[in-house]
Amino acid sequence: MFFVRTLRAALVGVLCLALPALAGDPPLGEAKMSTANKAAAKVLKARMQEERPEDYAVLQKVEAAEVVVVSGEYDRVEDVLREVGVPHVVVTPMQLARTPLNAKQLLIINCSGSLGPKGLEKVRKFVNAGGFLYTTDWALTNVVEKAFPGFIAFNGRETADDVVEVQVKESSGSNLLKHLHLANANPKWWLEGSSYPIRVLAPDKVEVLVESREMKKKYGAAPVAVMFRYGDGKVLHIASHFYLQRNQVRSVAEAKKGGAYLKEDAKLSKKAAEALANDEDVKNAQAGDLQSAYAAQQMTSNLVIERKKDQARIDQLYSKTLAQPAPASRASAGLGSGTRVKVVEQKGEKVKVRSMEGDEAWVDLAAVK
């Protein structure tokens, strides 16, 4: 599985170099999943406008610079964001180390997440300063374990190309889990071959949001989506991918066409279900595919909304300003006069301050206003 996936990445790289004039990337996964992802986005937007208009309004206010996506070989969360209508910026793994980041942003790293030392340090500083990080699959070992050791790890058992039923821990009260169920059935989660199951190393610090009893039985670890705090920020990691590329039908309801499913099974108002039932993407989507794509899209949208809402907290954290510049050091860039900072430590008349970019310096207490 590892060889197949790596070979595919190499071929994609060669094609990108040989055919630079091609516009856009081909859809990932099975062709029918492109339709399911389009249909799911339409259902998500209709449901949010009806049942969570305040959250939907927040989603509409997101600006491209607030969501930074690091491109990957095996996943494309940028396709999910585009379908849902969330503006964003895409950078390559090599560009990340030179990309300005600050604590108000959401950083999303597609699998595989091969960043290099400078990129990893950039990510660590970003989260420590208050940023939100969202990663998937192989980024578990390539990013999370390296930048944030001691929280979660790969359990050592790669998955097959598989689909498992998942259980959403709604009792946690997390806003990230709002509306993940489109019907009463549990969503399905696709695991690409060689996906990395998640082992929780610090149960007292890591919150499991979504798990799978089926995944635990097959691969020795139940967590599918986990979150932990680091410094003033948060890290959310999921097993496998943001963008649903394959699915499995396991019930009569899941085998229905999308329009019938929305009318008969989905948690939608009659008005919304009837309005969507005649949409071409919804009509051509299979219910099980639509439901699974919807769950992944809704979690991503919820995170974007919570990041936007959380920006007020960041403003409060960085409520001080420097009255005079702080020189650069080997560990950090210099901080200019007027930089917004947070005081993180004090020793006598000296204080350590941190900027929203994650840079730190010791300055005179009197220099902080």
Side-chain angles (χ1 to χ4, degrees):
M1 287 294 186
F2 178 91
F3 174 76
V4 172
R5 200 194 281 201
T6 304
L7 176 61
R8 187 173 70 185
L11 290 173
V12 169
V14 171
L15 288 172
C16 288
L17 290 173
L19 302 171
L22 287 179
D25 295 314
L28 289 173
E30 297 177 358
K32 67 172 184 168
M33 297 315 302
S34 177
T35 297
N37 278 285
K38 286 183 172 66
K42 293 173 181 178
V43 173
L44 181 151
K45 286 185 275 191
R47 187 179 183 191
M48 286 193 69
Q49 287 180 71
E50 274 201 345
E51 300 181 40
R52 296 165 58 192
E54 296 86 359
D55 284 348
Y56 187 74
V58 171
L59 197 62
Q60 302 311 298
K61 294 177 182 177
V62 174
E63 299 178 5
E66 296 175 309
V67 182
V68 178
V69 179
V70 179
S71 58
E73 298 95 334
Y74 312 114
D75 199 3
R76 287 207 299 265
V77 73
E78 55 268 35
D79 288 0
V80 173
L81 295 172
R82 185 176 61 251
E83 295 293 355
V84 177
V86 177
H88 56 281
V89 175
V90 180
V91 300
T92 67
M94 290 183 65
Q95 291 171 331
L96 180 63
R98 305 188 304 273
T99 300
L101 295 177
N102 69 71
K104 285 189 169 185
Q105 291 171 307
L106 169 63
L107 177 63
I108 304 177
I109 300 180
N110 282 303
C111 178
S112 62
S114 301
L115 301 182
K118 290 184 178 179
L120 289 170
E121 178 58 15
K122 184 106 175 183
V123 170
R124 189 201 64 77
K125 287 170 61 176
F126 164 76
V127 176
N128 187 55
F132 275 21
L133 174 66
Y134 191 14
T135 59
T136 182
D137 207 6
W138 286 3
L140 176 58
T141 57
N142 290 334
V143 178
V144 181
E145 286 188 35
K146 293 178 179 178
F148 313 100
F151 290 91
I152 58 176
F154 171 37
N155 81 336
R157 294 175 59 179
E158 296 181 359
T159 72
D161 187 347
D162 202 353
V163 176
V164 295
E165 183 177 274
V166 301
Q167 293 77 46
V168 179
K169 290 198 166 185
E170 293 176 311
S171 59
S172 71
S174 173
N175 289 330
L176 299 181
L177 303 180
K178 284 183 178 178
H179 280 180
L180 258 61
H181 285 98
L182 185 54
N184 290 325
N186 284 325
K188 307 297 184 298
W189 206 265
W190 174 63
L191 305 171
E192 184 174 359
S194 301
S195 287
Y196 289 175
I198 304 164
R199 180 163 62 100
V200 175
L201 303 178
D204 58 326
K205 298 177 181 178
V206 178
E207 181 180 10
V208 178
L209 300 174
V210 180
E211 63 183 1
S212 171
R213 291 187 287 271
E214 184 178 354
M215 187 171 173
K216 180 174 178 58
K217 183 177 180 180
K218 290 181 176 180
Y219 307 112
V224 172
V226 300
M227 185 173 68
F228 60 86
R229 295 180 180 275
Y230 182 87
D232 286 319
K234 294 179 182 179
V235 176
L236 175 65
H237 179 78
I238 65 169
S240 199
H241 295 161
F242 302 113
Y243 183 85
L244 186 68
Q245 301 169 39
R246 193 171 78 76
N247 195 37
Q248 240 175 43
V249 172
R250 296 187 177 184
S251 70
V252 173
E254 290 180 2
K256 293 179 181 179
K257 285 295 185 181
Y261 172 74
L262 293 186
K263 288 182 178 180
E264 299 166 11
D265 301 281
K267 297 179 178 180
L268 289 177
S269 70
K270 182 178 179 181
K271 178 181 177 182
E274 290 181 347
L276 287 164
N278 293 321
D279 178 89
E280 284 302 311
D281 290 321
V282 173
K283 285 196 298 184
N284 293 325
Q286 196 168 44
D289 298 340
L290 191 160
Q291 174 181 271
S292 295
Y294 170 88
Q297 289 183 8
Q298 186 65 78
M299 176 173 279
T300 300
S301 299
N302 287 345
L303 183 58
V304 173
I305 291 166
E306 290 309 300
R307 168 77 289 191
K308 183 70 173 179
K309 290 180 178 179
D310 189 63
Q311 289 177 350
R313 178 182 69 93
I314 301 300
D315 283 331
Q316 291 178 347
L317 286 177
Y318 295 89
S319 59
K320 305 290 186 179
T321 57
L322 283 183
Q324 59 191 50
S329 67
R330 292 181 61 185
S332 187
L335 304 179
S337 178
T339 299
R340 294 175 60 184
V341 295
K342 172 187 175 180
V343 175
V344 295
E345 188 178 348
Q346 181 171 352
K347 291 182 179 179
E349 294 301 308
K350 292 283 188 178
V351 291
K352 180 193 277 189
V353 295
R354 184 177 67 216
S355 70
M356 284 197 287
E357 291 70 36
D359 292 313
E360 297 181 348
W362 283 95
V363 299
D364 293 332
L365 177 61
V368 181
K369 305 297 182 181

